[in-house]
Amino acid sequence: MELSRRSFLKGVGAAGGIAALDSQLPAIAAAAEAAKKKAATAAKPLEVKRVKSNCAICPNFCGIDVSVVGGVIRTIYPDAARADFYNHGICPKGASGMYNTYDPYRLKKPLKRTNPNKGPNEDPKWAEISWEEAFSTIADRLVKIKADNPSKLVWQHGQGKYLIGEEFCVAFTKAFGTPNMTHRTTACEAARHVADELTWASAGILPDLKYSKYLLNFGANYHEGEQASRWLDWQTAMSREQGLKTVVVEPRLSGVAAKADEWVPVRPGKDVVMLLAMAKVLIDANTIDEPFLVEYTNAPQLVDGEGIILKDKDGKTPLVWDTVSGSAKPYVAGVKPALKGAYTVDGKPMRTAFQALSDGIKDMTPQYAEEIAGVPAATIVRLTQTFAKEARIGETIELDGLELRYRPAVLYTFRGLTAKEYGVQGWRTGLILNMLVGSIDAVGGLILGGAYARPQYFDVSVCEYPPKRADLAQSVYFPYANHHIAQQPAITALDPKAWGLAYAPEMQIFYGTNRPVSIPDAWQQFEGLKKTFSVVIDVIMTETCWYADIVLPDKTYLESWHWAPTRGTPDTGHSAIRQPIVNPYNLEHDAFTIMWELMKRLDLRDKFAEECNKAWGLKEVTFKPGRDYTTREGVEVLWAGRTKKEFSVALEQGFVGSKKSVKSKYLTGAEDKFKGPGKPKIKLYADQLIDTYYKVEGIAKKNNLAKIDLAKYKIAYSPLPNKDHAFPTPHREATGYPLYLITHKRMFRNQSGFTANNAILNQALGPDAATNYVQMNVVTAKELGISDGDKVTIETRVGKVSGIAQVVQGIRPDTIAVSYHYGTFSPGLAPAARNGTWINQVLEHHPDLISGHNSFNDTKCKVYRA
C-alpha cells in the first residue's frame, strides 16, 4: 500500500514528497513562524480583508465570515448577520474548513489510469495529463456513447449537488440525453422524504420549536448530523428557557439524548411497534383531535375488504359515510363524515380508514411493545399521555390578530425512523401520531414545507417496466423512489439484463461523491464500479477516485463561485452565494467549467444553456445561447434571476434573507390545501400504496420477474404501518447473530472523504476525534470478556471488520454502535484518514422497497476479541 501511495504522490507532482500527516503540524508551525518574520520586515503591511460566504462541508450550509490576511485564510467564523435567519454558530468542520483547501494531499492535475486492473491493492499507475488531453479523452468517449445510446452514461453526485448546484447536473444530463442522473439521498434521508410525499404530497418538515412545549425526538441527532443542526440545536436551547421538554428515543445515548430531559433507549428497528402502541393508547383514551382527522385527513374515507378506498361513479372521488343522510357520499359541503365505524355500501362491508387503523393496532398494547421494543409499558403510557396533554387538543392561540390551532407537542425524526428496510413506514407511523393529536401545521407542531406542492405523489406509481434508468427509480422495483437510488447503478451494472435494462452502462461521471464507501455491502459497489469507464471530479484521492480511469481536480467551496443552497426554518427563508477567497494551488477548473467545456466539445453548448434555464426555472434573466459562461457569470445570472437584487449585495453580504408572516407560516399549508370539503386530504391511509402493490403484482407475474418477492412487497406496501415493519430481513433471518448493529454520525467527519484529511480535526482536537470506536454496553462487554480499548471483530452475514472497543453505559446491552465515516483505505489519503472502522462494508443491504433508501440500521452481528 505504501508503494502505491508513493506512486500516487509522484504522479500528482507533490514537491519533495509529502510526509505523513503526523509530521505536518510542526512543518506548518515552522512555515507560519517564517512567514511571521518575513511579514515583520516587509515594507508593506499585509492586506486584511473579510469575506462573507457559505459553508459547503455538510448540508447545513451555514453562513460564514472569513478573514484573509496576506492572501491566506486565517479564521472562519459564523456570519453574525445570518443568526436571525439560520445559524448562530458553526461546527468544528466548518471552523477548520480552510484545511480542506490547503490540504497538501489535494488533487492538483488531471490524472489518467494506466493500469487497467482495479482493486484496493492495485496501483492505478497514475499518469499526470494536461487538461486538453483529459477533455479530449472524455469528450471522445461521450461522442461515441451519444451516437450509440446516451443512456449508457450515468452521472452521479453526492455533496457535489450542493456545490455548483444540482440543477446544472440535471441540465448536463438532459442536454446529453441520458435519464441517468443519480444523487445521494438514499444514503441519507430519502425514506423520510417519500413518507412525507405519500402523506401530504411534498417533503420537508421541521418542528415549530419557537412555540413547542414537548418534543418527542425519534433519532434526529441535531447536535451532530441533522440537515438543520445549526438551527435546531440553537432553537432547542432557547426554547428550553421557555419551557420546552425534550424526550429522545433511540438505542444510543447521543449528544442530543445527553442534553434531553429524558432518554428512552428503544431496541433498534422496533420503534414502529412503540409508536403503534402509543397510537392505540391515544385512540383508546379518545385523546385525539377528531375535527382535524375529519376535516384535514382521509381518515373518514371508506375502505373495502381489499384495502381499496371506495370511489364515486367517476372512479376518482373518495367516498365517506355521511352521518346526515346515512349513506356513502363524496365529502362536499353539507356532508358530515363519520370518523369511526363499519358500514354496508351496496351490500359490501366497509369501514372508515380510521377504523382500519384502530382495528389494525388492537393487539399493539404497551405490554406487547415492551416485549418487542424493549421500552417499559409504563413509560410508553406515560409518554403518550404527556404527548396528548401537551398537545392541548382543541385549544387555539392568537398571533398577529389571527386565531390559530395550538398544538405545542410534536414528534420528529431524521434518520432514526427512516434509515431502515421499512423506513417509509417508520416515518409514516410518526406522521400518524402527529395527525392523531392534530399537530400538523399547528402552532407548536410539525410545520410542513410546501403542502400539496407535488400532487402526483398521491397517484398510483407508474411502476415503469422495463426500467429506463440504471438506478431503477420509479420502476416496478422501487415505485416511489422519487429521489433516485444512489447505490443501484453499481448493482445494475453487474447484471443489467437481470433487471430488464435494455442496455449496459458504459461510462460514469462522479462529482463530489465517494459513493461506494457510503453504501452498505460496500464491496459489491466496488465490483460494480469495475464495469464502467469512470471519471471522477473531486478535491482529494477518494476510494472512488482510486477506482477511476480519469480523475479531474475540483476547486473547494473556498476557491470557487457557487449559487449556495440554504436551509430555511419555519420562520425564515434566504438566498446565498459562495465566492472564491483563495486559490493557493492556482487550479484552473471547477465542475461548472468542466461541464461547460464538455458541452462545447459535444456541440451541445446551446442545448445546455436551454436546459439550465429550465432546471433553474429562469424566465427573465437567463443563460443565453452562443456564448460561454465563467463561474462568476453563472452565479450572477442566478442571483439576478432569483433575487432581483444587484450583485454588489451578494459580494458584500453573501446572502439576502426574509422572515415569514404568521399568515404565510400557518395558513398557507394544511389549512389552505387540505381543510374542509372538496379538497385533497392528508393521507392517514396511504391508499396509493395498496393500489401500487396490486399494480406491481400484475407486472411481476406477467413478466415473471425473479427480482421481485411479492410477499416482501405486500408487507412494504401496506397502506397503514403495522408490526411487520418492525421485523426487517436481518432481524428475521440472522438468527445466529445476537446483537443489533447501528450506525451514527459524529461531528468531526462528513460522509464525503475530504474531511478525513483534516489535521486540525485529527490532531488539534485530540485523538478521540481522529478515529471511531465499536461502542458497547458495560454488561455486554463483561459477558464477552472485552475491556475498553481491546481490539475486537464485528462479524455479520456480509463479512468481518475490526475496531477498538469503547465500553460505555449509554447504549442498550443488545446493541453495538459504530459511526460510519472512518476507516478509509485509499493510499492517496493522509495516513490519519485511514484510522478507525469502515463499518459500511459489513452492513447488510436491504433497501426500502418504496423509496430505495439504504438499510443502515437493520444488521445483526457478533462481536468478539480479535
Side-chain angles (χ1 to χ4, degrees):
M1 282 297 222
E2 282 302 308
L3 285 174
S4 296
R5 185 175 77 86
R6 286 197 295 270
S7 177
F8 156 69
L9 293 174
K10 182 179 178 182
V12 298
I18 299 175
L21 186 59
D22 289 341
S23 65
Q24 287 180 20
L25 291 180
I28 292 172
E33 184 63 27
K36 183 178 178 181
K37 291 179 180 178
K38 182 177 180 181
T41 59
K44 296 182 180 179
L46 293 175
E47 179 191 21
V48 179
K49 64 177 181 177
R50 301 275 291 276
V51 182
K52 299 291 187 72
S53 194
N54 206 263
C55 189
I57 289 181
C58 84
N60 267 266
F61 314 130
C62 296
I64 55 175
D65 188 343
V66 183
S67 68
V68 184
V69 180
V72 177
I73 296 174
R74 292 296 181 94
T75 62
I76 300 177
Y77 287 107
D79 178 8
R82 313 274 180 113
D84 286 343
F85 298 91
Y86 184 61
N87 62 297
H88 289 252
I90 53 177
C91 74
K93 299 187 299 293
S96 61
M98 72 284 284
Y99 192 87
N100 299 323
T101 295
Y102 293 120
D103 184 354
Y105 285 79
R106 285 283 302 277
L107 293 164
K108 306 174 186 70
K109 300 286 185 181
L111 303 174
K112 178 176 68 175
R113 185 184 203 91
T114 61
N115 176 11
N117 298 319
K118 298 181 180 181
N121 297 308
E122 291 286 348
D123 185 348
K125 299 188 184 300
W126 298 115
E128 213 176 78
I129 59 175
S130 67
W131 276 104
E132 174 57 35
E133 183 179 349
F135 284 132
S136 296
T137 302
I138 297 167
D140 288 347
R141 281 186 173 268
L142 289 175
V143 166
K144 293 175 182 177
I145 289 173
K146 184 165 179 58
D148 175 23
N149 182 351
S151 297
K152 292 183 177 181
L153 171 68
V154 178
W155 173 284
Q156 298 205 50
H157 56 253
Q159 194 70 2
K161 71 177 282 189
Y162 301 131
L163 298 175
I164 64 169
E166 182 171 74
E167 288 81 354
F168 287 123
C169 307
V170 171
F172 184 91
T173 51
K174 290 271 189 183
F176 187 78
T178 179
N180 290 315
M181 188 208 77
T182 305
H183 64 57
R184 53 177 281 284
T185 313
T186 53
C188 191
E189 80 289 3
R192 195 188 78 165
H193 286 337
V194 173
D196 286 340
E197 290 160 351
L198 293 170
T199 305
W200 48 275
S202 192
I205 51 168
L206 281 173
D208 190 19
L209 293 176
K210 185 176 181 180
Y211 295 102
S212 298
K213 299 300 181 185
Y214 194 65
L215 171 64
L216 278 176
N217 173 14
F218 276 71
N221 187 4
Y222 49 75
H223 286 324
E224 294 180 311
E226 229 268 28
Q227 286 191 346
S229 288
R230 297 290 75 76
W231 174 77
L232 282 166
D233 57 6
W234 175 83
Q235 188 62 66
T236 52
M238 296 301 101
S239 296
R240 283 192 190 102
E241 298 180 4
Q242 307 301 318
L244 173 70
K245 301 295 183 185
T246 61
V247 178
V248 174
V249 184
E250 62 181 21
R252 181 185 69 95
L253 184 66
S254 65
V256 173
K259 294 183 178 182
D261 294 280
E262 183 175 359
W263 169 48
V264 180
V266 67
R267 185 168 288 131
K270 310 304 181 184
D271 24 30
V272 169
V273 167
M274 178 180 171
L275 288 168
L276 292 174
M278 294 176 70
K280 177 177 172 57
V281 172
L282 289 173
I283 292 170
D284 288 352
N286 203 35
T287 49
I288 58 175
D289 191 338
E290 291 199 23
F292 179 84
L293 291 167
V294 169
E295 296 178 30
Y296 296 76
T297 82
N298 72 341
Q301 292 175 6
L302 295 171
V303 181
D304 68 15
E306 297 297 315
I308 305 297
I309 293 285
L310 182 64
K311 305 289 177 39
D312 202 4
K313 294 177 181 179
D314 62 5
K316 298 179 181 179
T317 307
L319 298 180
V320 300
W321 187 259
D322 178 22
T323 59
V324 177
S325 64
S327 62
K329 287 187 174 183
Y331 182 18
V332 295
V335 169
K336 294 188 177 180
L339 177 63
K340 308 171 184 177
Y343 306 92
T344 301
V345 179
D346 295 333
K348 296 180 180 179
M350 302 284 168
R351 56 182 173 170
T352 67
F354 178 86
Q355 192 64 49
L357 170 66
S358 184
D359 293 345
I361 60 176
K362 64 180 184 297
D363 297 328
M364 296 292 101
T365 64
Q367 290 72 28
Y368 176 76
E370 177 176 351
E371 176 187 344
I372 301 300
V375 178
T379 300
I380 294 173
V381 172
R382 174 175 54 81
L383 293 176
T384 309
Q385 291 173 342
T386 305
F387 187 57
K389 178 184 177 182
E390 293 296 341
R392 307 184 190 189
I393 297 167
E395 290 190 22
T396 61
I397 188 173
E398 184 175 308
L399 297 176
D400 285 359
L402 298 171
E403 187 176 6
L404 305 166
R405 290 184 298 115
Y406 184 45
R407 304 289 181 273
V410 58
L411 190 150
Y412 183 69
T413 195
F414 186 66
R415 286 168 57 94
L417 288 173
T418 60
K420 302 170 183 176
E421 183 175 358
Y422 298 114
V424 166
Q425 295 289 4
W427 179 229
R428 283 263 307 139
T429 319
L431 286 168
I432 286 172
L433 260 290
N434 283 306
M435 284 183 241
L436 289 176
V437 300
S439 72
I440 304 291
D441 265 349
V443 177
L446 187 72
I447 303 300
L448 310 183
Y452 204 59
R454 304 170 186 172
Q456 66 269 28
Y457 296 142
F458 277 7
D459 297 336
V460 178
S461 170
V462 294
C463 294
E464 183 180 81
Y465 188 81
K468 293 185 178 67
R469 294 173 55 95
D471 71 347
L472 311 181
Q474 297 184 330
S475 74
V476 68
Y477 299 105
F478 300 99
Y480 285 101
N482 306 323
H483 300 270
H484 312 162
I485 308 175
Q487 72 278 5
Q488 189 60 44
I491 297 172
T492 302
L494 290 171
D495 191 358
K497 290 183 179 178
W499 298 96
L501 202 66
Y503 58 91
E506 290 184 3
M507 181 176 178
Q508 296 192 79
I509 300 177
F510 293 88
Y511 169 40
T513 178
N514 199 12
R515 178 76 79 235
V517 169
S518 305
I519 303 297
D521 198 1
W523 287 114
Q524 179 182 223
Q525 295 291 309
F526 282 107
E527 287 303 305
L529 196 55
K530 294 178 182 179
K531 298 289 186 178
T532 59
F533 183 92
S534 296
V535 176
V536 180
I537 306 168
D538 216 323
V539 297
I540 59 169
M541 181 59 69
T542 66
E543 285 74 15
T544 307
C545 290
W546 196 253
Y547 273 66
D549 297 278
I550 298 284
V551 176
L552 303 179
D554 194 16
K555 294 180 180 178
T556 69
Y557 71 100
L558 298 173
E559 296 171 322
S560 189
W561 295 94
H562 299 146
W563 171 264
T566 59
R567 290 289 173 198
T569 76
D571 296 287
T572 65
H574 26 99
S575 298
I577 69 158
R578 300 187 192 102
Q579 47 189 319
I581 300 169
V582 294
N583 187 359
Y585 298 116
N586 296 314
L587 298 179
E588 185 177 352
H589 288 284
D590 66 2
F592 179 86
T593 58
I594 290 169
M595 282 184 176
W596 211 269
E597 181 65 25
L598 289 174
M599 288 283 99
K600 185 163 61 175
R601 289 174 183 247
L602 295 172
D603 198 25
L604 293 172
R605 184 178 62 179
D606 289 354
K607 178 65 174 174
F608 182 47
E610 177 187 337
E611 294 294 345
C612 285
N613 293 331
K614 292 178 183 178
W616 288 99
L618 299 175
K619 303 295 184 183
E620 299 174 11
V621 182
T622 61
F623 289 93
K624 305 298 184 185
R627 57 159 295 186
D628 294 329
Y629 284 85
T630 65
T631 52
R632 172 171 173 153
E633 290 169 340
V635 172
E636 286 178 329
V637 169
L638 296 174
W639 179 265
R642 291 294 187 89
T643 71
K644 315 300 183 189
K645 293 184 179 295
E646 295 294 328
F647 198 60
S648 59
V649 176
L651 297 177
E652 294 168 10
Q653 301 176 9
F655 85 111
V656 290
S658 62
K659 297 187 178 181
K660 299 175 186 176
S661 67
V662 169
K663 181 179 180 180
S664 66
K665 178 179 177 180
Y666 296 113
L667 297 181
T668 60
E671 299 290 334
D672 178 53
K673 301 301 190 299
F674 299 119
K675 183 182 180 182
K679 291 187 177 181
K681 298 298 169 194
I682 298 171
K683 300 262 187 182
L684 176 134
Y685 187 91
D687 54 293
Q688 71 271 51
L689 286 180
I690 190 69
D691 291 338
T692 294
Y693 167 74
Y694 289 127
K695 189 172 181 179
V696 169
E697 182 182 52
I699 295 171
K701 289 181 177 179
K702 178 182 178 181
N703 295 281
N704 194 28
L705 299 181
K707 294 283 188 181
I708 289 184
D709 183 337
L710 287 174
K712 288 186 176 181
Y713 276 77
K714 192 165 188 178
I715 292 172
Y717 277 75
S718 169
L720 289 168
N722 59 59
K723 65 180 180 181
D724 288 338
H725 301 134
F727 295 92
T729 299
H731 292 199
R732 298 193 312 270
E733 297 180 356
T735 55
Y737 298 82
L739 298 169
Y740 297 91
L741 177 59
I742 64 171
T743 66
H744 62 95
K745 182 172 172 52
R746 301 183 75 212
M747 180 68 78
F748 312 111
R749 295 280 176 93
N750 200 42
Q751 297 95 317
S752 300
F754 67 83
T755 53
N757 277 352
N758 191 317
I760 298 173
L761 299 180
N762 286 337
Q763 294 185 320
L765 297 186
D768 183 63
T771 189
N772 63 350
Y773 300 93
V774 178
Q775 208 171 62
M776 64 181 65
N777 186 272
V778 290
V779 174
T780 306
K782 184 176 181 181
E783 290 176 352
L784 297 175
I786 294 171
S787 299
D788 192 74
D790 282 352
K791 186 175 182 179
V792 297
T793 296
I794 300 174
E795 179 182 341
T796 72
R797 296 195 299 175
V798 174
K800 300 177 183 180
V801 67
S802 64
I804 302 301
Q806 186 179 60
V807 179
V808 298
Q809 293 184 348
I811 192 170
R812 287 182 58 91
D814 57 5
T815 302
I816 302 296
V818 184
S819 64
Y820 59 83
H821 31 230
Y822 287 81
T824 58
F825 67 79
S826 171
L829 299 177
R834 288 174 263 159
N835 291 337
T837 299
W838 173 30
I839 194 62
N840 285 345
Q841 63 185 308
V842 297
L843 297 182
E844 293 196 33
H845 177 59
H846 303 283
D848 182 288
L849 294 174
I850 299 175
S851 65
H853 196 168
N854 281 283
S855 50
F856 288 95
N857 293 315
D858 291 338
T859 299
K860 303 217 42 195
C861 70
K862 302 174 184 177
V863 177
Y864 43 86
R865 292 182 65 181

